[in-house]
Amino acid sequence: MPGRLLARRTPWIGLGVALVLVAAAFAVPPLTGWQVYARAPRSASDLGAPPLHGVWDPKLFGPGTIPAILVAWVGWRWFARWVVSARWWQLQSVGYVLGLMWLFSLALVDGPEGLSRVLGHSSEYLESARDVGSIGSLLHHYVDRMPIDSPGAWPTQPAGHPPLALLLFVALVRVGLGGSLAAGCVVTVIAALVAPLVLSTVRTLGAEDLARRVAPFLVLTPAAVFMAVSADAVFSAVAAGGLALLARGATAQRLTWVGWSAAAGLVLGAGVMMSYGLPLIGLVCLAVLVTARSWRPLPVAALAALLVVIGFALAGFSWWEAYPVLHDRYWAGVAAVRPAAYWMWGDLALLAISAGPLVYAGIAVLVPRVRGLAGVHHLHHDLRPAWTPAARAVVLLAAAGVLCVVVADVSRMSKAEVERIWLPFMPWITLAVALLPQKWRRWGLLGQLVWALAVQQLFYTSW
């Protein structure tokens, strides 16, 4: 009986932890006068809304509010049931369109500015992309312009990322999509690919039934509030694409695995050249290979990824030279006044805000399963799952996603802004929701949708 009672309470414990973290993260700074610097204040009276990188801005309705509510209703009442029996290609196609509508409608709660204001900001990529002439010169002098006191210093985002992120926006400028609204639409269209790519990976690894369970939570994620127009959502899509290709390489027959593995390495290498945080996705790569019980793609994918990094070095930009310069700029700026005593747990509250509190219920259920997978046999049988290959796949992938954020948090290179910085890891953590009981998933999805709408309506976010 105690084991059964604990099994029933485990999701509630996880959900409770999430809500307490969020409540404390919002309440502690104003109640104590603790200045935690989620962002630089614009005036003496500007307290912001830590832990979020934004401000309180409650609004009853915006242009996208009604469409967002309608998308949420369709997702909860129809899509969540339809995915169980739909053909796979239909699930992927409809899921992409529904997810894209969710992204656009949430962004448009703030009107067209919701799609244009972020990328139009001077700290973002577009302003710098419009000034780029020679790509070769850009790469050769990229590191020189990273220090905050250097001549022609890069704004925050170009300085904080390898050059492929900026080059993406250079390409948009050169094909005539360099306006902030047009670029925002392109980024959002790419961001909507994340859910189908993650689902493809899970299915390839033999867990199609669990992929169908979790599909509504990936398509209609609360993280959509921060994904639309965020370059980090593009990084998330690139990482998810690389992992989907790696799963193909690990499960393919005959020599086709070589091509899949090489393609995976090239895409994952491109991700590394977009974000200094994406090497952490290597933990999810290992989970893919362990799940597939195949290590043969590893040398091929690693070599292909290395070729991308070396190619940039030969062109003038060395990742390993740039990272220490970024570290120095990061700690010379706002990071130095962001107290670790707050952000070590405030970041975990941001994970609940962005991915939704139900994810913590999934993590709570995930923990005993990881212990079971690790050979801890003294757990009560109600806490030990039936170890099907599908359950093993989801446990490994979700656990790897959790490990990514733990490493990022403990390293202190993630202090604030993780509502967008951790976007590449969130869909893999969200897979843990598939382990929840059916009733939890049914009502939990509604809770996630309401949560996303509330965050969008209550705050003016910086992403």
Side-chain angles (χ1 to χ4, degrees):
M1 180 63 71
R4 292 191 184 94
L5 182 61
L6 179 58
R8 288 197 298 270
R9 288 182 175 177
T10 297
W12 286 107
I13 293 171
L15 182 61
V17 167
L19 296 177
V20 168
L21 276 172
V22 172
F26 278 119
V28 167
L31 290 178
T32 63
W34 196 4
Q35 179 53 269
V36 297
Y37 292 102
R39 62 188 183 86
R42 293 178 173 84
S43 67
S45 61
D46 179 11
L47 300 177
L52 280 172
H53 195 280
V55 296
W56 290 95
D57 182 31
K59 40 199 170 289
L60 188 59
F61 281 103
T65 301
I66 297 301
I69 292 173
L70 291 175
V71 171
W73 181 253
V74 169
W76 186 61
R77 293 291 295 174
W78 172 75
F79 183 71
R81 297 177 180 177
W82 176 78
V83 293
V84 176
S85 58
R87 293 183 179 180
W88 185 255
W89 69 267
Q90 293 174 326
L91 185 158
Q92 290 281 70
S93 301
V94 173
Y96 174 79
V97 172
L98 189 65
L100 186 61
M101 293 170 63
W102 182 235
L103 286 162
F104 272 122
S105 59
L106 286 172
L108 289 171
V109 167
D110 294 322
E113 186 188 37
L115 289 168
S116 63
R117 74 167 186 265
V118 173
L119 293 178
H121 194 273
S122 59
S123 66
E124 287 284 337
Y125 300 93
L126 274 177
E127 189 171 302
S128 297
R130 296 182 187 120
D131 295 333
V132 171
S134 165
I135 301 299
S137 177
L138 167 77
L139 295 176
H140 275 95
H141 298 287
Y142 204 91
V143 177
D144 297 335
R145 296 175 62 181
M146 287 175 63
I148 198 165
D149 57 352
S150 62
W154 292 118
T156 303
Q157 297 305 326
H161 295 84
L164 190 53
L166 177 59
L167 289 175
L168 168 66
F169 291 93
V170 172
L172 292 181
V173 169
R174 294 189 176 180
V175 299
L177 295 172
S180 55
L181 181 59
C185 290
V186 171
V187 168
T188 304
V189 167
I190 296 173
L193 292 169
V194 172
L197 288 169
V198 173
L199 292 172
S200 177
T201 302
V202 177
R203 182 179 187 246
T204 300
L205 294 174
E208 181 176 333
D209 287 345
L210 292 181
R212 291 176 182 272
R213 280 189 199 176
V214 80
F217 298 93
L218 290 171
V219 170
L220 300 170
T221 174
V225 172
F226 308 99
M227 289 173 69
V229 312
S230 170
D232 292 84
V234 176
F235 310 155
S236 183
V238 171
L243 287 161
L245 291 167
L246 186 65
R248 288 280 187 176
T251 57
Q253 302 299 317
R254 300 175 184 171
L255 286 178
T256 57
W257 69 269
V258 176
W260 289 115
S261 302
L266 293 173
V267 174
L268 291 169
V272 169
M273 299 309 300
M274 287 182 163
S275 170
Y276 293 104
L278 271 190
L280 282 175
I281 210 72
L283 295 170
V284 186
C285 293
L286 293 177
V288 168
L289 298 178
V290 171
T291 300
R293 292 186 169 90
S294 174
W295 293 98
R296 65 184 183 182
L298 184 58
V300 176
L303 178 60
L306 187 60
L307 287 176
V308 175
V309 177
I310 291 175
F312 271 87
L314 294 175
F317 175 86
S318 298
W319 194 98
W320 51 89
E321 291 180 359
Y323 185 79
V325 179
L326 169 65
H327 181 276
D328 292 344
R329 171 166 172 156
Y330 178 69
W331 284 101
V334 70
V337 295
R338 284 174 171 168
Y342 174 84
W343 288 109
M344 290 287 282
W345 57 272
D347 284 347
L348 301 180
L350 278 174
L351 175 63
I353 293 169
S354 186
L358 190 70
V359 166
Y360 270 76
I363 293 173
V365 173
L366 175 70
V367 171
R369 284 156 173 76
V370 171
R371 294 176 64 193
L373 191 62
V376 180
H377 300 298
H378 64 267
L379 296 173
H380 190 278
H381 64 83
D382 285 312
L383 296 177
R384 278 188 255 134
W387 278 115
T388 64
R392 184 173 181 271
V394 167
V395 167
L396 285 170
L397 292 171
V402 171
L403 188 56
C404 287
V405 303
V406 169
V407 172
D409 195 38
V410 171
S411 70
R412 296 197 301 151
M413 280 303 285
S414 288
K415 286 207 298 182
E417 306 177 37
V418 299
E419 63 266 38
R420 63 170 182 88
I421 294 172
W422 287 355
L423 284 176
F425 314 131
M426 290 182 194
W428 307 100
I429 300 173
T430 301
L431 294 178
V433 172
L435 304 173
L436 291 171
Q438 193 277 334
K439 184 178 292 187
W440 267 87
R441 297 197 308 275
R442 173 68 175 158
W443 293 105
L445 177 61
L446 180 61
Q448 291 280 92
L449 295 168
V450 172
W451 183 271
L453 290 166
V455 170
Q456 182 63 61
Q457 295 289 142
L458 289 175
F459 299 98
Y460 184 94
T461 62
S462 299
W463 321 112

